């Protein structure tokens, strides 16, 4: 089959690789009909998360069941399904306590309680390095789904792939960022980052009763997308002091909720890059620092942008002084996906209006390059095997 293979940073190629096979009774082989490039894929592409061997990338995908193991009884060949990005067994302690991203069974080599940089990681993820299970991902013509008795969800026949594809990751991730804040209605929500996850969080904020939604980014084309798809007020962090502007907009207090949808690959100054070298750090917490500045006292900061490294000078003093509630981590998609499918089916939210590029799988390397380099007003790339 054809698949997008990561070889080393900035080197991804569509190649012929071995077809996946049923390995365990709870496996399914899926024929991929649509897949997408996620901002998290760029962390591997840019070498932020090390991956020494070649592997197939991609954790946002859906398709048609081609073959099932004997332990999968709720799916059959020909069923059309969407697949949550966390790989979970469904029966360990964490899965039964609604924490499938912390599954004890899906990442046997590197799993542990520590959550450290190089050991004690969480549950397995599709196409997301050996540290998270070493599973080949779905930017391919076919993919093996382990523990398929638990996670894949059938999707309505009357809905297109693009209407439901983002149920795999970015819509649930945007959803939980707002859900964590437990809005009561009328709050002001600031979303830092107008990439795909940030755009989804903006949509969800309105669903949860926000009174105002402010979007921040450094790219004008992404801010335009935010205004068009999220009905937001927008601020460009390159053009003005956005923290002071936010305080002006909120009677000096700051916003009720800040969502960090940027993570460690935010813009960095030359000084940031120098201190990275001195402190043996990768990336930056600039986006998080801005959220902590912008949120009001007693407010909430949701962190769904990825941070993979420890950082010196972490502003714990500011969190304590302002009484900020912080929630962070990967979304347990399996807990939310059935509700989110209904939201899409009922027309309460539209997901596919953020797609900027549709490419055949054969052009996946180009998709990575333009998405990473922010060329051609690229917001979200969908690939068709």
């Amino acid at each position: 089959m054809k698949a997008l293979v990561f070889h080393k940073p900035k080197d991804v190629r569509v190649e012929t690789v071995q077809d996946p096979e049923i390995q365990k009774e709870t496996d399914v082989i899926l024929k991929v009909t649509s897949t997408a490039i996620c901002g998290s894929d760029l962390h591997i592409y840019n070498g932020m998360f090390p991956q020494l061997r070649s592997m197939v990338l991609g954790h946002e995908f859906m398709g048609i069941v081609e073959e099932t193991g004997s332990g999968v009884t709720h799916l059959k060949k020909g069923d059309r399904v969407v697949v949550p990005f966390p790989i979970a067994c469904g029966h360990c302690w964490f899965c039964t306590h609604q924490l499938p991203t912390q599954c004890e069974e899906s990442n046997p080599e590197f799993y542990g309680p520590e959550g450290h940089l190089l050991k004690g990681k969480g549950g397995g993820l599709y196409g997301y390095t050996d540290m998270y299970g070493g599973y080949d991902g779905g930017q391919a013509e076919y993919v093996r789904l382990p523990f398929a008795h638990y996670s894949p969800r059938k999707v309505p026949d009357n809905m297109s792939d693009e209407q439901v594809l983002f149920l795999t990751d970015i819509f649930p991730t945007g959803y939980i960022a707002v859900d964590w804040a437990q809005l009561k209605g009328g709050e002001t929500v600031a979303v830092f980052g107008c990439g795909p996850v940030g755009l989804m969080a903006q949509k969800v904020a309105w669903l949860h009763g926000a009174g105002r939604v402010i979007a921040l980014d450094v790219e004008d084309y992404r801010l335009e997308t935010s205004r068009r798809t999220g009905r937001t007020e927008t601020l460009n962090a390159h053009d003005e002091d956005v923290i002071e502007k936010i305080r002006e907009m909120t009677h000096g207090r700051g916003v009720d909720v800040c969502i960090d949808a940027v993570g460690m690959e935010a813009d960095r100054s030359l000084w940031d890059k120098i201190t990275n070298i001195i402190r043996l750090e990768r990336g930056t917490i600039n986006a998080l620092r801005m959220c902590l500045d912008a949120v009001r006292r007693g407010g909430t900061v949701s962190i769904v942008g990825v941070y993979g490294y420890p950082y010196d000078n972490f502003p714990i003093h500011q969190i304590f002084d302002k009484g900020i509630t912080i929630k962070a981590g990967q979304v347990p998609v399996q807990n939310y996906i059935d509700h989110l499918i209904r939201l899409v089916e009922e027309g309460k939210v539209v997901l596919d209006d953020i797609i900027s590029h549709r490419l055949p799988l054969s052009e996946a390397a180009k998709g990575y390059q333009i998405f990473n380099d922010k060329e051609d007003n690229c917001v979200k790339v969908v690939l068709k095997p």
Side-chain angles (χ1 to χ4, degrees):
M1 68 170 186
K2 297 293 185 182
L4 186 282
V5 181
F6 170 87
H7 291 280
K8 60 184 179 182
K10 299 291 198 301
D11 182 6
V12 293
R13 305 171 222 155
V14 176
E15 299 175 343
T16 300
V17 302
Q18 185 174 354
D19 291 349
E21 297 178 349
I22 296 287
Q23 298 179 16
K24 296 182 179 180
E25 63 178 12
T26 54
D27 287 353
V28 154
I29 303 300
L30 189 75
K31 180 178 181 180
V32 179
T33 55
S34 293
T35 182
I37 302 174
C38 181
S40 298
D41 294 326
L42 298 183
H43 300 321
I44 306 171
Y45 181 77
N46 288 320
M48 298 294 283
F49 285 163
Q51 174 61 23
L52 299 181
R53 70 175 180 91
S54 298
M55 74 179 304
V56 179
L57 298 185
H59 58 269
E60 295 182 328
F61 60 89
M62 62 179 296
I64 297 170
V65 173
E66 182 75 11
E67 183 181 357
T68 62
S70 60
V72 180
T73 57
H74 74 297
L75 296 176
K76 64 182 184 304
K77 183 174 181 177
D79 283 344
R80 184 163 160 260
V81 299
V82 65
V83 184
F85 76 89
I87 301 173
C89 70
H91 58 74
C92 71
W93 190 93
F94 285 100
C95 285
T96 57
H97 285 76
Q98 296 190 310
L99 291 167
T101 54
Q102 317 303 326
C103 176
E104 296 173 294
E105 302 295 327
S106 61
N107 187 13
E109 186 172 354
F110 289 101
Y111 184 83
E114 301 92 343
H116 287 173
L117 183 62
L118 296 176
K119 69 174 185 177
K121 311 304 280 188
L125 307 173
Y126 288 103
Y128 212 74
T129 77
D130 288 331
M131 296 295 292
Y132 286 95
Y135 297 91
D136 279 334
Q139 289 168 3
E141 293 179 318
Y142 294 88
V143 61
R144 179 177 75 93
L145 309 182
F147 304 110
H149 64 289
Y150 177 58
S151 292
R153 297 299 200 273
K154 295 180 185 178
V155 295
D157 290 336
N158 64 340
M159 301 181 72
S160 70
D161 277 17
E162 291 182 359
Q163 286 178 284
V164 295
L165 175 60
F166 301 147
L167 290 159
T168 54
D169 177 1
I170 61 171
F171 182 41
T173 299
Y175 190 92
I176 200 171
V178 179
D179 195 47
W180 279 334
Q182 299 180 339
L183 301 189
K184 302 295 190 295
E187 291 89 348
T188 299
V189 178
V191 181
F192 285 73
C194 294
V197 168
L199 294 170
M200 292 296 162
Q202 294 157 25
K203 294 172 181 285
V204 175
W206 293 119
L207 289 178
H208 283 243
R212 297 176 78 177
V213 181
I214 304 168
L216 302 95
D217 205 285
V218 296
E219 299 288 343
D220 284 333
Y221 77 90
R222 301 212 302 187
L223 291 167
E224 189 284 324
T225 302
S226 174
R227 291 190 293 271
R228 175 174 55 82
T229 66
R231 299 180 290 117
T232 57
E233 303 169 68
T234 59
L235 300 173
N236 189 316
H238 274 177
D239 295 344
E240 57 187 319
D241 185 335
V242 294
I243 303 303
E244 286 304 313
K245 184 65 177 178
I246 283 173
R247 290 176 184 158
E248 288 177 17
M249 299 166 73
T250 56
H251 308 287
R253 290 190 296 269
V255 296
D256 301 293
V257 179
C258 277
I259 295 172
D260 178 357
V262 179
M264 62 186 175
E265 290 202 74
D267 273 11
R268 291 180 295 161
S269 67
L270 177 60
W271 176 247
D272 290 329
K273 294 175 182 179
I274 292 171
T275 55
N276 277 167
I277 296 170
I278 296 171
R279 296 170 182 164
L280 302 178
E281 297 173 350
R282 300 291 299 274
T284 178
I285 59 169
N286 283 348
L288 176 56
R289 290 183 187 279
M290 293 176 73
C291 287
L292 297 176
D293 282 342
V295 74
R296 66 164 170 81
R297 290 181 174 276
T300 298
V301 174
S302 293
I303 307 171
V304 288
V306 175
Y307 290 95
Y309 293 85
Y311 294 94
D312 198 4
N313 290 329
F314 182 79
I316 187 68
H317 66 289
Q318 188 178 21
I319 297 168
F320 183 85
D321 183 77
K322 294 180 70 172
I324 298 169
T325 297
I326 293 182
K327 296 284 288 185
Q330 297 165 344
V331 56
V333 179
Q334 291 88 342
N335 299 350
Y336 287 87
I337 190 168
D338 297 318
H339 171 61
L340 300 186
I341 288 174
R342 288 194 294 272
L343 289 180
V344 177
E345 190 173 19
E346 292 168 2
K348 293 181 178 178
V349 63
V350 174
L351 308 183
D352 57 350
D353 58 355
I354 73 164
I355 299 171
S356 60
H357 291 72
R358 296 168 176 85
L359 301 173
L361 180 64
S362 60
E363 296 183 26
K366 174 186 174 183
Y368 268 82
Q369 182 264 311
I370 62 173
F371 187 32
N372 184 66
D373 296 342
K374 298 180 176 66
E375 294 181 357
D376 196 28
N377 292 347
C378 184
V379 174
K380 187 67 174 178
V381 180
V382 171
L383 305 170
K384 298 291 184 178

